[in-house]
Protein backbone atom coordinates (compact mmCIF):
# COMPACT_ATOMS: atom_id res chain seq x y z
CA UNK A 1 0.00 0.00 0.00
CA UNK A 2 1.35 3.44 -0.91
CA UNK A 3 2.31 5.85 1.83
CA UNK A 4 0.37 9.09 2.35
CA UNK A 5 1.74 12.18 0.58
CA UNK A 6 2.47 14.82 3.20
CA UNK A 7 3.56 18.34 2.30
CA UNK A 8 5.57 20.24 4.93
CA UNK A 9 5.49 24.04 4.75
CA UNK A 10 8.09 25.80 6.90
CA UNK A 11 7.58 29.40 8.00
CA UNK A 12 10.47 29.82 10.44
CA UNK A 13 10.31 30.13 14.22
CA UNK A 14 12.32 28.53 17.02
CA UNK A 15 12.07 25.15 15.32
CA UNK A 16 14.08 26.59 12.40
CA UNK A 17 16.75 28.58 14.27
CA UNK A 18 20.50 28.07 14.50
CA UNK A 19 23.17 29.91 16.52
CA UNK A 20 25.19 32.75 15.02
CA UNK A 21 28.82 33.54 15.91
CA UNK A 22 27.74 35.08 19.23
CA UNK A 23 25.58 32.13 20.20
CA UNK A 24 22.32 34.00 19.64
CA UNK A 25 19.69 31.99 17.83
CA UNK A 26 18.80 33.30 14.36
CA UNK A 27 16.36 32.18 11.68
CA UNK A 28 18.16 30.04 9.14
CA UNK A 29 16.95 26.45 8.82
CA UNK A 30 14.60 25.57 5.98
CA UNK A 31 12.07 22.80 5.45
CA UNK A 32 14.69 20.39 4.08
CA UNK A 33 16.79 20.87 7.23
CA UNK A 34 13.81 20.10 9.44
CA UNK A 35 13.01 16.93 7.52
CA UNK A 36 16.64 15.81 7.54
CA UNK A 37 16.61 15.98 11.35
CA UNK A 38 13.84 13.36 11.49
CA UNK A 39 14.89 10.31 9.42
CA UNK A 40 11.86 8.32 10.63
CA UNK A 41 9.55 10.50 8.53
CA UNK A 42 10.49 8.48 5.45
CA UNK A 43 8.91 5.38 6.96
CA UNK A 44 5.60 7.16 7.48
CA UNK A 45 5.01 9.17 4.34
CA UNK A 46 6.14 10.45 1.00
CA UNK A 47 7.32 13.80 2.28
CA UNK A 48 7.71 16.97 0.23
CA UNK A 49 9.25 19.94 2.01
CA UNK A 50 8.93 23.61 1.09
CA UNK A 51 10.34 26.69 2.79
CA UNK A 52 7.73 29.46 2.70
CA UNK A 53 9.58 31.96 4.86
CA UNK A 54 12.27 32.27 7.50
CA UNK A 55 10.67 34.60 10.02
CA UNK A 56 9.68 34.48 13.66
CA UNK A 57 5.94 34.10 14.12
CA UNK A 58 5.86 37.39 16.03
CA UNK A 59 6.49 39.04 12.64
CA UNK A 60 3.95 37.12 10.54
CA UNK A 61 1.03 39.04 9.02
CA UNK A 62 -2.58 38.30 8.20
CA UNK A 63 -1.68 38.62 4.52
CA UNK A 64 0.98 35.92 4.82
CA UNK A 65 -1.47 33.49 6.41
CA UNK A 66 -4.06 34.22 3.70
CA UNK A 67 -1.39 33.43 1.10
CA UNK A 68 -0.46 30.27 3.02
CA UNK A 69 -4.11 29.14 3.00
CA UNK A 70 -4.24 29.65 -0.78
CA UNK A 71 -1.09 27.58 -1.19
CA UNK A 72 -2.51 24.78 0.95
CA UNK A 73 -5.72 24.74 -1.11
CA UNK A 74 -3.65 24.35 -4.28
CA UNK A 75 -1.77 21.24 -3.11
CA UNK A 76 -2.77 17.76 -4.28
CA UNK A 77 -1.66 15.79 -1.23
CA UNK A 78 -3.03 13.64 1.58
CA UNK A 79 -2.07 15.98 4.39
CA UNK A 80 -0.25 19.22 5.21
CA UNK A 81 2.01 20.12 8.12
CA UNK A 82 2.93 23.75 8.80
CA UNK A 83 5.93 24.54 11.00
CA UNK A 84 6.24 27.99 12.53
CA UNK A 85 7.09 29.84 15.73
CA UNK A 86 5.05 29.43 18.89
CA UNK A 87 4.49 33.15 19.57
CA UNK A 88 1.37 33.38 17.39
CA UNK A 89 0.54 29.75 16.64
CA UNK A 90 -2.81 30.01 18.43
CA UNK A 91 -3.76 32.93 16.15
CA UNK A 92 -2.37 31.75 12.80
CA UNK A 93 -3.80 28.28 13.28
CA UNK A 94 -7.24 29.72 14.01
CA UNK A 95 -7.08 31.93 10.93
CA UNK A 96 -6.20 28.92 8.78
CA UNK A 97 -9.19 27.10 10.26
CA UNK A 98 -11.48 29.97 9.26
CA UNK A 99 -10.10 29.97 5.72
CA UNK A 100 -9.75 26.24 4.94
CA UNK A 101 -12.45 23.63 4.43
CA UNK A 102 -10.60 20.52 3.29
CA UNK A 103 -10.92 16.76 3.44
CA UNK A 104 -7.25 16.32 4.37
CA UNK A 105 -5.59 16.87 7.75
CA UNK A 106 -3.88 20.22 8.19
CA UNK A 107 -1.58 20.38 11.21
CA UNK A 108 0.45 23.23 12.66
CA UNK A 109 3.41 22.52 14.91
CA UNK A 110 6.42 24.30 16.36
CA UNK A 111 9.09 24.03 19.06
CA UNK A 112 9.65 25.54 22.48
CA UNK A 113 13.33 24.50 22.73
CA UNK A 114 15.70 25.66 20.04
CA UNK A 115 17.99 23.17 18.26
CA UNK A 116 21.05 24.29 20.27
CA UNK A 117 19.54 23.17 23.58
CA UNK A 118 19.59 19.71 25.09
CA UNK A 119 16.58 17.68 23.97
CA UNK A 120 15.03 20.15 21.51
CA UNK A 121 11.38 19.31 20.93
CA UNK A 122 11.17 20.38 17.29
CA UNK A 123 12.04 17.01 15.69
CA UNK A 124 9.64 15.14 17.98
CA UNK A 125 6.83 17.60 17.30
CA UNK A 126 7.39 17.37 13.55
CA UNK A 127 7.35 13.57 13.70
CA UNK A 128 4.15 13.65 15.77
CA UNK A 129 2.50 16.14 13.38
CA UNK A 130 3.27 13.97 10.35
CA UNK A 131 2.04 10.91 12.22
CA UNK A 132 -1.25 12.71 12.91
CA UNK A 133 -1.55 13.78 9.26
CA UNK A 134 -1.02 10.16 8.17
CA UNK A 135 -3.35 8.54 10.69
CA UNK A 136 -6.39 6.86 9.06
CA UNK A 137 -8.86 8.06 11.71
CA UNK A 138 -7.61 11.63 11.42
CA UNK A 139 -7.88 11.47 7.64
CA UNK A 140 -11.43 10.11 7.77
CA UNK A 141 -12.51 12.89 10.14
CA UNK A 142 -10.38 15.69 8.68
CA UNK A 143 -13.26 17.99 7.81
CA UNK A 144 -14.84 17.61 11.25
CA UNK A 145 -11.51 18.13 13.01
CA UNK A 146 -10.47 21.22 11.09
CA UNK A 147 -6.96 22.56 11.45
CA UNK A 148 -5.12 21.00 14.38
CA UNK A 149 -2.14 21.94 16.51
CA UNK A 150 0.26 19.20 17.63
CA UNK A 151 2.63 19.90 20.50
CA UNK A 152 4.30 17.54 22.97
CA UNK A 153 2.40 14.45 21.78
CA UNK A 154 -1.02 16.05 22.13
CA UNK A 155 -3.44 17.16 19.42
CA UNK A 156 -5.56 20.28 19.87
CA UNK A 157 -8.31 22.08 17.98
CA UNK A 158 -6.80 25.41 16.98
CA UNK A 159 -9.94 27.28 18.10
CA UNK A 160 -9.25 26.09 21.65
CA UNK A 161 -5.48 25.89 21.97
CA UNK A 162 -3.61 28.56 23.93
CA UNK A 163 0.03 29.28 24.67
CA UNK A 164 -0.06 29.43 28.46
CA UNK A 165 3.64 29.86 29.26
CA UNK A 166 6.37 31.84 27.45
CA UNK A 167 9.15 29.25 27.68
CA UNK A 168 8.09 25.97 29.26
CA UNK A 169 8.09 22.79 27.20
CA UNK A 170 4.42 22.10 27.96
CA UNK A 171 3.36 25.64 27.07
CA UNK A 172 0.31 24.69 25.00
CA UNK A 173 -3.03 23.76 26.53
CA UNK A 174 -6.74 23.81 25.74
CA UNK A 175 -8.23 24.82 29.11
CA UNK A 176 -11.86 24.62 28.02
CA UNK A 177 -11.82 21.34 26.14
CA UNK A 178 -8.57 19.42 26.57
CA UNK A 179 -6.78 17.65 23.71
CA UNK A 180 -8.51 15.91 20.81
CA UNK A 181 -6.03 13.04 20.76
CA UNK A 182 -2.77 11.82 22.23
CA UNK A 183 0.23 10.11 20.68
CA UNK A 184 1.36 6.97 22.49
CA UNK A 185 4.15 4.72 21.15
CA UNK A 186 3.39 4.59 17.42
CA UNK A 187 -0.35 5.22 17.82
CA UNK A 188 -2.61 8.24 17.56
CA UNK A 189 -5.36 7.76 20.15
CA UNK A 190 -8.48 9.90 19.39
CA UNK A 191 -10.46 11.20 22.37
CA UNK A 192 -12.96 13.73 21.00
CA UNK A 193 -14.19 15.79 18.07
CA UNK A 194 -14.30 19.58 18.38
CA UNK A 195 -17.49 21.64 18.27
CA UNK A 196 -16.99 23.70 15.11
CA UNK A 197 -20.56 24.74 14.27
CA UNK A 198 -19.71 28.45 14.54
CA UNK A 199 -16.85 28.12 12.05
CA UNK A 200 -18.90 26.04 9.62
CA UNK A 201 -21.79 28.51 9.79
CA UNK A 202 -19.53 31.53 9.28
CA UNK A 203 -17.40 30.17 6.43
CA UNK A 204 -19.89 30.91 3.59
CA UNK A 205 -19.71 34.58 4.61
CA UNK A 206 -15.95 34.45 3.99
CA UNK A 207 -16.22 33.26 0.38
CA UNK A 208 -15.06 36.65 -0.89
CA UNK A 209 -12.36 38.36 1.16
CA UNK A 210 -10.73 41.71 0.51
CA UNK A 211 -6.99 41.70 -0.07
CA UNK A 212 -6.70 44.80 2.11
CA UNK A 213 -5.74 44.30 5.75
CA UNK A 214 -8.40 45.49 8.19
CA UNK A 215 -6.50 46.55 11.34
CA UNK A 216 -8.17 45.59 14.62
CA UNK A 217 -7.05 47.08 17.93
CA UNK A 218 -6.87 44.87 21.02
CA UNK A 219 -7.15 46.30 24.54
CA UNK A 220 -6.90 44.33 27.78
CA UNK A 221 -9.13 46.04 30.35
CA UNK A 222 -7.74 46.14 33.89
CA UNK A 223 -8.46 47.60 37.34
CA UNK A 224 -9.48 51.28 37.31
CA UNK A 225 -8.91 51.72 33.57
CA UNK A 226 -10.18 55.21 32.60
CA UNK A 227 -10.52 54.45 28.88
CA UNK A 228 -8.45 57.39 27.63
CA UNK A 229 -6.85 55.35 24.86
CA UNK A 230 -10.33 54.48 23.59
CA UNK A 231 -11.26 58.18 23.72
CA UNK A 232 -8.16 59.02 21.69
CA UNK A 233 -9.09 56.33 19.17
CA UNK A 234 -12.57 57.79 18.81
CA UNK A 235 -11.31 61.34 18.31
CA UNK A 236 -8.30 60.59 16.08
CA UNK A 237 -8.59 61.23 12.32
CA UNK A 238 -9.67 58.01 10.63
CA UNK A 239 -9.51 56.38 14.08
CA UNK A 240 -5.75 55.81 13.63
CA UNK A 241 -6.54 53.49 10.72
CA UNK A 242 -8.29 50.89 12.85
CA UNK A 243 -11.44 49.27 11.49
CA UNK A 244 -12.49 47.36 14.60
CA UNK A 245 -11.71 46.86 18.29
CA UNK A 246 -11.60 43.92 20.69
CA UNK A 247 -11.84 44.55 24.43
CA UNK A 248 -10.50 41.84 26.76
CA UNK A 249 -13.11 42.41 29.45
CA UNK A 250 -13.33 41.46 33.10
CA UNK A 251 -15.27 38.54 34.50
CA UNK A 252 -18.35 37.52 32.57
CA UNK A 253 -18.17 40.62 30.34
CA UNK A 254 -17.69 43.75 32.46
CA UNK A 255 -15.82 47.07 32.19
CA UNK A 256 -15.02 49.74 34.79
CA UNK A 257 -18.04 52.03 35.11
CA UNK A 258 -15.95 55.10 34.35
CA UNK A 259 -15.29 53.88 30.80
CA UNK A 260 -18.69 52.38 29.96
CA UNK A 261 -19.88 55.50 28.16
CA UNK A 262 -16.69 55.61 26.10
CA UNK A 263 -17.12 51.95 25.15
CA UNK A 264 -20.67 52.65 23.99
CA UNK A 265 -19.50 55.59 21.86
CA UNK A 266 -16.76 53.44 20.36
CA UNK A 267 -19.25 50.70 19.47
CA UNK A 268 -21.29 53.28 17.58
CA UNK A 269 -18.28 54.12 15.41
CA UNK A 270 -16.36 50.84 14.97
CA UNK A 271 -17.41 47.19 15.42
CA UNK A 272 -16.34 46.51 19.02
CA UNK A 273 -16.15 42.99 20.38
CA UNK A 274 -16.08 42.10 24.08
CA UNK A 275 -14.16 38.93 24.85
CA UNK A 276 -13.14 37.33 28.18
CA UNK A 277 -9.72 38.48 29.38
CA UNK A 278 -9.68 35.27 31.44
CA UNK A 279 -8.85 33.58 28.15
CA UNK A 280 -12.01 31.70 27.32
CA UNK A 281 -15.30 30.35 28.55
CA UNK A 282 -18.75 31.67 27.57
CA UNK A 283 -19.50 35.07 29.05
CA UNK A 284 -22.68 36.17 30.76
CA UNK A 285 -25.48 37.80 28.79
CA UNK A 286 -28.24 38.79 31.23
CA UNK A 287 -27.21 38.34 34.86
CA UNK A 288 -25.85 41.65 36.18
CA UNK A 289 -27.27 45.15 35.94
CA UNK A 290 -25.57 48.53 36.09
CA UNK A 291 -23.96 50.84 33.52
CA UNK A 292 -20.97 48.60 32.78
CA UNK A 293 -22.62 45.21 33.15
CA UNK A 294 -23.04 42.71 30.37
CA UNK A 295 -26.71 43.73 30.01
CA UNK A 296 -25.88 47.41 29.54
CA UNK A 297 -22.90 46.81 27.26
CA UNK A 298 -24.90 44.56 24.96
CA UNK A 299 -27.73 47.10 24.85
CA UNK A 300 -25.13 49.76 23.96
CA UNK A 301 -24.19 47.81 20.83
CA UNK A 302 -21.03 45.98 21.86
CA UNK A 303 -20.66 42.59 20.17
CA UNK A 304 -20.34 39.59 22.44
CA UNK A 305 -17.34 37.31 21.75
CA UNK A 306 -18.71 34.24 23.51
CA UNK A 307 -16.03 31.79 24.53
CA UNK A 308 -13.37 33.13 22.17
CA UNK A 309 -10.04 34.19 23.66
CA UNK A 310 -9.44 37.89 22.85
CA UNK A 311 -6.56 36.94 20.53
CA UNK A 312 -8.86 34.71 18.50
CA UNK A 313 -11.71 37.23 18.64
CA UNK A 314 -9.36 39.72 16.96
CA UNK A 315 -8.59 37.19 14.20
CA UNK A 316 -12.27 36.50 13.63
CA UNK A 317 -13.17 40.20 13.59
CA UNK A 318 -10.43 40.97 11.05
CA UNK A 319 -11.77 38.17 8.85
CA UNK A 320 -15.33 39.50 9.13
CA UNK A 321 -14.14 42.97 8.13
CA UNK A 322 -12.24 41.58 5.12
CA UNK A 323 -15.49 39.92 4.10
CA UNK A 324 -17.23 43.29 4.17
CA UNK A 325 -19.73 42.27 6.84
CA UNK A 326 -21.73 44.99 8.57
CA UNK A 327 -22.15 45.21 12.33
CA UNK A 328 -25.31 43.07 12.39
CA UNK A 329 -23.70 40.29 10.36
CA UNK A 330 -20.57 40.41 12.51
CA UNK A 331 -22.76 40.03 15.58
CA UNK A 332 -24.40 36.96 14.04
CA UNK A 333 -20.98 35.38 13.36
CA UNK A 334 -19.82 35.95 16.94
CA UNK A 335 -23.15 34.82 18.39
CA UNK A 336 -22.27 31.26 17.38
CA UNK A 337 -19.46 31.21 19.95
CA UNK A 338 -21.77 31.13 22.92
Amino acid sequence: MSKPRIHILALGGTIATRPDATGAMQMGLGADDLVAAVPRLAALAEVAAETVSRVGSHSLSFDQIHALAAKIRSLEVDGVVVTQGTDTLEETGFLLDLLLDLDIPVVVTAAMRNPALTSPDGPGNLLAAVRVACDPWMRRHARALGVMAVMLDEVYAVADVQKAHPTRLDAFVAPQTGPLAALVEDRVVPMSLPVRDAIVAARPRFASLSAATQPVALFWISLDEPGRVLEALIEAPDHLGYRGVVLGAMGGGHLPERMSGTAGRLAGILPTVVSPRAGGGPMLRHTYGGPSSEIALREAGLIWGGRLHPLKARVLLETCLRAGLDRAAIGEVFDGWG
Side-chain angles (χ1 to χ4, degrees):
M1 187 173 67
S2 62
K3 291 180 288 189
R5 299 164 299 159
I6 305 299
H7 201 93
I8 297 173
L9 298 167
L11 302 185
T14 293
I15 194 172
T17 55
R18 58 187 175 192
D20 63 17
T22 71
M25 300 305 292
Q26 303 283 358
M27 301 298 155
L29 301 180
D32 289 336
D33 300 305
L34 301 183
V35 170
V38 193
R40 292 177 63 187
L41 291 177
L44 293 174
E46 295 180 13
V47 173
E50 181 178 353
T51 302
V52 176
S53 66
R54 287 182 169 88
V55 64
S57 67
H58 47 268
S59 295
L60 289 171
S61 68
F62 282 101
D63 287 345
Q64 285 175 290
I65 304 307
H66 278 264
L68 179 66
K71 177 181 283 292
I72 291 171
R73 283 193 293 266
S74 72
L75 298 173
E76 295 184 3
V77 294
D78 299 310
V80 175
V81 172
V82 176
T83 66
Q84 67 160 82
T86 62
D87 285 359
T88 59
L89 183 147
E90 59 196 299
E91 296 158 83
T92 59
F94 182 53
L95 180 53
L96 285 175
D97 205 21
L98 294 175
L99 300 176
L100 297 174
D101 185 22
L102 303 176
D103 286 320
I104 61 170
V106 177
V107 181
V108 292
T109 193
M112 291 301 300
R113 285 183 179 161
N114 69 65
L117 295 175
T118 302
S119 301
D121 56 321
N125 286 339
L126 179 56
L127 179 62
V130 172
R131 194 181 297 280
V132 168
C134 292
D135 182 78
W137 189 89
M138 294 287 175
R139 291 170 65 187
R140 284 199 305 273
H141 295 86
R143 191 176 291 272
L145 289 162
V147 178
M148 296 168 280
V150 172
M151 296 290 291
L152 204 62
D153 285 344
E154 290 190 321
V155 184
Y156 301 99
V158 288
D160 299 308
V161 74
Q162 298 177 25
K163 186 177 182 180
H165 195 278
T167 60
R168 206 167 61 190
L169 193 63
D170 59 343
F172 283 84
V173 296
Q176 300 182 70
T177 61
L180 302 177
L183 289 99
V184 182
E185 299 173 332
D186 60 351
R187 309 189 310 278
V188 178
V189 182
M191 294 183 287
S192 64
L193 288 170
V195 176
R196 301 180 65 251
D197 300 49
I199 293 176
V200 173
R203 192 175 282 121
R205 300 177 185 262
F206 303 152
S208 178
L209 294 171
S210 167
T213 301
Q214 303 293 313
V216 173
L218 172 60
F219 298 103
W220 234 255
I221 307 304
S222 56
L223 178 69
D224 205 25
E225 169 59 54
R228 294 189 185 117
V229 175
L230 301 188
E231 292 172 2
L233 185 63
I234 292 170
E235 300 298 333
D238 196 34
H239 312 301
L240 301 177
Y242 286 106
R243 297 293 174 258
V245 177
V246 172
L247 303 178
M250 302 163 166
H254 307 139
L255 303 176
E257 285 193 13
R258 63 191 296 184
M259 67 172 293
S260 59
T262 302
R265 287 173 58 210
L266 181 65
I269 297 169
L270 297 173
T272 303
V273 174
V274 175
S275 189
R277 77 172 194 180
M283 295 186 298
L284 302 174
R285 294 192 177 196
H286 47 70
T287 296
Y288 293 103
S292 61
S293 68
E294 70 277 4
I295 294 174
L297 294 175
R298 285 168 57 80
E299 289 178 348
L302 283 91
I303 298 166
W304 234 230
R307 67 181 181 88
L308 278 180
H309 189 290
L311 293 174
K312 298 182 195 292
R314 178 174 174 268
V315 171
L316 181 57
L317 180 54
E318 205 273 351
T319 307
C320 289
L321 293 169
R322 283 200 189 223
L325 303 187
D326 61 17
R327 192 217 165 280
I330 293 171
E332 291 171 0
V333 168
F334 274 92
D335 193 57
W337 291 94

